[in-house]
Amino acid sequence: MKGKVFVIGLGLIGGSLAMAVRHAHPEAVIVGADLSEKNVQLSTLLGIIDESVSSLEAGAREADLILLAVPVNETVKILAQLADMDLKNDVLISDAGSTKDTVVKAAKPLIDKGVAFIGGHPMAGSHKSGAAAAKLHLFEHAFYLLTPGDSIEEEKVEQLKRWLQGTRANFLVVSPATHDKLTGVISHFPHIVASGLVKQAEHYSKENKLISRLAAGGFRDITRIASSSPEMWRDILLHNRDVLLELMNDWLNEMEHIKGLVASEDSEEILRFFTDAKIFRDDLPTHAKGAIPAFYDLYIDIPDYAGIISEITGYLAQEGISITNIRIIETREEIYGVLVISFQTDVDRIKAAECISRHTDYETILA
Ligand code: NAD
């Protein structure tokens, strides 16, 4: 497609989206803006954008597509500014924020003016930020949720998907409220619990230093997401407040229930609690082949092409490094890569990371 694409926020997500747009639409002109001069310079240097502008108005005026990839609080402010600007009649606007209801509400003045705003959330990420971390294949096979408001025509959604086809993501259209409920349950609330577990361990580690040592491995693994950006998660909680308050209430009730079972030593019901959880968990798609505790996981950020897995395992086999499990993560939100290989020991994991770095330029993370 031809036209001008204006990307506001040239960080990990904005930079990666710009790369994907350029890949699929080489004739499009990509204009970028960012408060960080460093990210603007880097994006220009890396060829992520064709030109930069120092005011939103300069970029927005002639844009056919505007993509906002800034923190959600900033998205809300920028949408209000865009509503006061003269934009092209058929401009499409989308964002990449992790919450959708408040964002789509903030876009109401634009939508009322007849502008097509379609909320977006590419469910892929990394612990890194900034333009330097941007990658063309960041969103490959990741879910990309789109949340058009009721008044948005189907054709506009299809047009946005065409613009974003270079992401090779799996697009799903849901309502903003459904988006926030789904991500609240499977992502936002688990982040709160993970951080809560870490804080509890920290509290008890003051009494006994062995806590930190024993928390290596499994505990570290199940609380991995607690290492994500605190600023981003603060914003997410504030923007998904109602859903999270409801989930917290449910959780407190659940904890009260279990507390009662433990206090009354109700062994049958305690068994039922764990059995029910196990049945549902074992049935989750990514664990369909049986969940092995993910001790000593190595995350490898790989491009998606036939033979990639045998290439990687081939290098490991050459060096006699044995693996205990291998899996591909489909929902990549906040997960540090797409291919996860588990090892028996940490020594094997470190050897594997070194081996892969010697043979390839794929990023490996010992999360
Ligand atoms: P990032 O920190 O890498 O990039 C954000 C960029 O926005 C920075 O370069 C910053 O300077 C710029 N910025 C901030 N305020 C601005 C403003 N008012 N005008 C212009 N530029 C501004 O962050 P990111 O990971 O790319 O996240 C961007 C958005 O994507 C957030 O809304 C986040 O919720 C969402 N998101 C993040 C992930 C993830 O895992 N990182 C995943 C999915 C969605």
Side-chain angles (χ1 to χ4, degrees):
M1 287 163 89
K2 281 187 190 167
K4 276 206 166 176
V5 180
F6 182 33
V7 182
I8 307 172
L10 300 166
L12 168 77
I13 300 293
S16 303
L17 285 175
M19 287 167 119
V21 170
R22 170 170 326 279
H23 185 71
H25 310 286
E27 291 181 348
V29 175
I30 302 183
V31 182
D34 196 297
L35 289 182
S36 147
E37 194 47 41
K38 186 178 148 226
N39 276 341
V40 173
Q41 280 174 4
L42 211 53
S43 303
T44 311
L45 204 70
L46 295 170
I48 293 174
I49 57 171
D50 297 299
E51 49 192 81
S52 64
V53 285
S54 49
S55 81
L56 288 186
E57 199 145 19
R61 220 171 14 226
E62 291 176 12
D64 298 284
L65 170 68
I66 301 177
L67 294 172
L68 286 83
V70 295
V72 183
N73 280 340
E74 296 300 310
T75 303
V76 167
K77 289 184 211 157
I78 293 173
L79 287 172
Q81 292 172 37
L82 291 174
D84 288 333
M85 292 178 195
D86 279 333
L87 307 172
K88 276 192 163 177
N89 281 342
D90 53 357
V91 63
L92 263 180
I93 306 182
S94 188
D95 78 311
S98 305
T99 57
K100 291 277 72 83
D101 205 38
T102 52
V103 168
V104 175
K105 281 188 180 130
K108 191 166 180 307
L110 275 166
I111 295 169
D112 287 349
K113 274 175 70 177
V115 174
F117 174 82
I118 299 167
H121 179 190
M123 298 185 76
S126 157
H127 61 305
K128 291 189 177 173
S129 57
K135 285 193 180 96
L136 171 62
H137 66 262
L138 184 67
F139 309 110
E140 247 177 23
H141 301 316
F143 287 109
Y144 197 135
L145 301 190
L146 297 177
T147 64
D150 291 340
S151 59
I152 304 299
E153 294 159 21
E154 177 66 29
E155 170 49 25
K156 292 288 181 188
V157 178
E158 291 308 313
Q159 208 182 329
L160 180 62
K161 286 189 199 169
R162 282 199 295 280
W163 270 119
L164 297 173
Q165 70 195 31
T167 58
R168 302 190 63 211
N170 296 322
F171 294 102
L172 290 178
V173 175
V174 293
S175 72
T178 302
H179 169 277
D180 286 1
K181 190 71 176 256
L182 293 174
T183 53
V185 174
I186 51 100
S187 168
H188 306 169
F189 187 69
H191 265 82
I192 301 173
V193 175
S195 297
L197 290 172
V198 174
K199 283 176 76 68
Q200 190 174 53
E202 184 203 11
H203 175 73
Y204 285 101
S205 72
K206 288 181 186 128
E207 284 175 16
N208 192 329
K209 294 289 169 218
L210 265 179
I211 292 266
S212 299
R213 286 175 63 194
L214 295 175
F219 182 84
R220 217 172 166 265
D221 196 45
I222 60 165
T223 56
R224 177 186 299 137
I225 52 182
S227 288
S228 313
S229 156
E231 291 81 14
M232 185 169 116
W233 283 96
R234 174 201 55 202
D235 288 0
I236 288 173
L237 261 59
L238 296 175
H239 281 268
N240 204 10
R241 175 179 172 273
D242 293 349
V243 167
L244 291 173
L245 288 177
E246 187 189 331
L247 292 172
M248 281 183 213
N249 276 334
D250 289 350
W251 181 259
L252 291 175
N253 289 339
E254 181 82 28
M255 286 299 111
E256 274 303 322
H257 172 65
I258 299 152
K259 192 176 157 191
L261 299 181
V262 175
S264 60
E265 298 177 29
D266 187 338
S267 93
E268 207 172 301
E269 283 304 311
I270 294 172
L271 184 66
R272 189 196 304 276
F273 169 75
F274 286 118
T275 307
D276 288 352
K278 177 174 162 45
I279 290 170
F280 186 75
R281 203 246 178 205
D282 288 354
D283 249 6
L284 295 176
T286 49
H287 301 285
K289 290 189 180 125
I292 296 172
F295 299 124
Y296 308 120
D297 281 351
L298 181 65
Y299 287 73
I300 307 157
D301 211 343
I302 50 161
D304 186 68
Y305 61 76
I308 182 74
I309 295 177
S310 59
E311 184 194 324
I312 299 277
T313 50
Y315 296 136
L316 298 177
Q318 273 170 28
E319 298 195 17
I321 305 166
S322 55
I323 66 176
T324 59
N325 192 21
I326 185 161
R327 64 191 189 276
I328 293 171
I329 291 174
E330 283 178 303
T331 301
R332 299 174 70 191
E333 165 105 280
E334 284 304 312
I335 306 277
Y336 304 159
V338 69
L339 183 66
V340 188
I341 305 183
S342 304
F343 300 88
Q344 200 79 46
T345 67
D346 205 25
V347 172
D348 279 354
R349 183 168 70 146
I350 292 165
K351 273 205 281 187
E354 287 166 358
C355 161
I356 291 163
S357 301
R358 260 198 316 280
H359 289 282
T360 74
D361 59 357
Y362 308 143
E363 194 184 353
T364 57
I365 291 146
L366 292 80

